């Protein structure tokens, strides 16, 4: 049974000593982790094995936002979850990817809180106090056409009304990224269709694991277009006949869907007898709040 722990100044020092919040790609270590040695989160935590490391997500809503985010992660793009915000002035978060981003310093959360006249959060323990390290749930590093990089910051909340204090802390986070010219999204269940989220949750094990060949993706796309309107079960059987493997057909079908090669309506639900219907590319992309840059707070 997991014991109840709380955040203290000593625990934050331990996180720093362990290199929490540092690294990139498969070497990145989240600031908050799904671990028995960490204080428990309020949500249902999960680990997702993806791109050579475990992605550490602290709620179902974070998992859904992660699934949406994978749609725009390709090549040298990166995803860092539970990303810590600098307390003091610090170089740009892209400095880890290119030295040109190391020249300028940007304000930390302490300075921003002071400017906004918001009390910065603290933690206490053993007669000591320390400034709380704020985090962004997901930080995406995206390559551009001119071989440069941009960031996209994503925070995740449930549908419950936010308290005045919660809104104030979100304003610090939003302003932090504004100073760095980084778009910031606040994703809640209102930004996506709940059936879409359910479909992602039930198919991610095929979409994100064991990448299939381009030939398999092309086969899946061809079969989906040929038999669109038929049941998921029937289309899967037709694909399995071509690929000669039922498990491979699951991976190929859902990877072709998640990649956008076959823009299936993800609001279909998960049951095998329901039909697979194709959408226009723009309508399919609009189902994804990260891709569409849809936010609860602009």
């Amino acid at each position: 049974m997991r014991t109840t722990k709380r955040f203290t100044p000593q625990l934050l020092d331990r996180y720093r000593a362990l290199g929490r919040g540092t690294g990139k790609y498969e070497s990145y270590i989240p600031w908050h982790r799904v671990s028995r040695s960490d204080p428990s989160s309020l949500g249902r935590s999960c680990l997702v094995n993806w791109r050579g490391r475990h992605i550490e997500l602290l709620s179902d809503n974070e998992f859904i936002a992660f699934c949406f985010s994978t749609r725009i992660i390709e090549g040298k793009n990166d995803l860092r979850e539970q990303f810590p915000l600098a307390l003091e002035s610090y170089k740009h978060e892209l400095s880890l990817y290119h030295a040109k981003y190391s020249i300028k310093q940007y304000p930390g959360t302490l300075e921003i809180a002071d400017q906004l006249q918001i009390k910065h959060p603290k933690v206490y323990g053993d007669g000591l106090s320390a400034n709380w390290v704020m985090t962004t749930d997901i930080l995406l590093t995206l390559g551009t056409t001119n071989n440069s990089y941009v960031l996209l910051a994503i925070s995740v909340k449930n549908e419950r009304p936010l308290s005045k204090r919660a809104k104030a802390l979100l304003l610090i986070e939003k302003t932090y990224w504004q100073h760095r010219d980084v778009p910031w999204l606040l994703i809640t269940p209102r930004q996506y269709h709940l059936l879409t989220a359910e479909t992602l949750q039930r198919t991610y094990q095929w979409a994100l694991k064991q990448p299939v060949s381009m030939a398999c993706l092309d086969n899946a796309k061809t079969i989906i277009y040929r038999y669109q309107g038929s049941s998921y079960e029937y289309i899967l059987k037709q694909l399995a006949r071509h690929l000669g493997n039922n498990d491979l057909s699951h991976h190929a079908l859902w990877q072709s869907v998640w990649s956008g090669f076959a823009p299936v309506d993800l609001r279909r639900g998960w049951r095998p007898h329901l039909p697979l219907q194709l959408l226009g590319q723009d309508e399919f992309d609009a189902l994804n709040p990260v891709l569409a840059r849809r936010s609860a707070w602009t």
Side-chain angles (χ1 to χ4, degrees):
M1 181 176 178
R2 184 170 176 174
T3 59
T4 300
K5 296 178 180 292
R6 65 189 181 94
F7 291 102
T8 63
Q10 294 87 345
L11 186 59
L12 299 188
D13 287 341
R14 178 171 170 269
Y15 283 5
R16 294 186 182 95
L18 290 171
R20 298 277 188 101
T22 64
K24 61 182 178 179
Y25 301 117
E26 66 275 5
S27 67
Y28 174 70
I29 305 172
W31 181 256
H32 298 297
R33 307 198 68 177
V34 180
S35 166
R36 288 183 177 273
S37 63
D38 284 21
S40 59
S41 62
L42 295 177
R44 182 169 58 177
S45 302
C46 68
L47 294 170
V48 181
N49 191 358
W50 185 70
R51 287 198 166 193
R53 73 175 180 89
H54 283 104
I55 306 298
E56 312 206 27
L57 305 162
L58 304 184
S59 70
D60 286 337
N61 290 329
E62 282 189 17
F63 173 74
I64 292 166
F66 161 75
C67 289
F68 283 128
S69 297
T70 61
R71 174 74 167 83
I72 60 175
I73 294 291
E74 50 188 48
K76 286 293 186 178
N77 295 351
D78 198 6
L79 182 151
R80 293 176 284 178
E81 75 281 15
Q82 323 306 335
F83 185 84
L85 309 186
L87 287 167
E88 308 285 352
S89 294
Y90 196 68
K91 57 191 176 183
H92 202 282
E93 280 71 13
L94 280 174
S95 61
L96 198 60
Y97 300 88
H98 199 287
K100 70 179 181 179
Y101 298 106
S102 302
I103 300 171
K104 186 179 177 181
Q105 297 277 310
Y106 297 84
T109 57
L110 288 171
E111 181 180 341
I112 292 170
D114 185 60
Q115 291 173 349
L116 297 173
Q117 297 185 332
I118 297 172
K119 184 179 179 182
H120 196 283
K122 288 179 173 288
V123 293
Y124 302 88
D126 295 332
L128 300 174
S129 67
N131 290 300
W132 171 248
V133 176
M134 300 178 65
T135 56
T136 286
D137 295 316
I138 296 173
L139 183 63
L140 304 181
T141 305
L142 306 173
T144 65
T145 53
N146 61 352
N147 293 320
S148 188
Y149 295 97
V150 296
L151 295 178
L152 177 61
I154 302 168
S155 287
V156 180
K157 293 293 181 185
N158 56 36
E159 284 189 291
R160 290 197 300 268
L162 296 172
S163 66
K164 183 178 179 180
R165 178 60 172 166
K167 290 179 180 178
L169 295 179
L170 283 174
L171 181 57
I172 295 175
E173 182 182 353
K174 179 184 179 183
T175 306
Y176 181 96
W177 292 116
Q178 283 179 331
H179 277 291
R180 290 152 173 79
D181 292 324
V182 173
W184 176 80
L185 304 179
L186 178 61
I187 303 296
T188 76
R190 291 184 180 273
Q191 275 63 65
Y192 52 83
H193 198 287
L194 294 182
L195 281 179
T196 299
E198 182 178 298
T199 299
L200 295 179
Q201 287 176 302
R202 291 185 178 273
T203 61
Y204 86 94
Q205 70 269 27
W206 297 308
L208 298 183
K209 297 180 180 179
Q210 300 176 19
V212 303
S213 67
M214 184 57 68
C216 287
L217 291 179
D218 286 338
N219 263 302
K221 178 181 178 180
T222 299
I223 294 298
I224 292 171
Y225 271 85
R226 181 180 301 168
Y227 297 106
Q228 69 159 311
S230 300
S231 71
Y232 164 54
E233 185 177 39
Y234 180 80
I235 291 176
L236 201 61
K237 285 181 179 179
Q238 299 308 309
L239 183 56
R241 285 177 55 197
H242 280 75
L243 299 181
N245 184 298
N246 187 58
D247 190 52
L248 178 60
S249 67
H250 277 90
H251 288 277
L253 187 149
W254 287 110
Q255 286 175 36
S256 70
V257 172
W258 278 43
S259 65
F261 289 150
V264 165
D265 189 349
L266 296 172
R267 298 165 296 187
R268 62 174 292 281
W270 61 271
R271 291 178 175 81
H273 71 277
L274 295 175
L276 289 186
Q277 300 285 359
L278 289 166
L279 299 174
Q281 193 65 53
D282 289 344
E283 190 178 2
F284 176 76
D285 290 346
L287 295 175
N288 185 331
V290 175
L291 189 62
R293 303 296 195 270
R294 194 160 53 246
S295 177
W297 190 352
T298 58

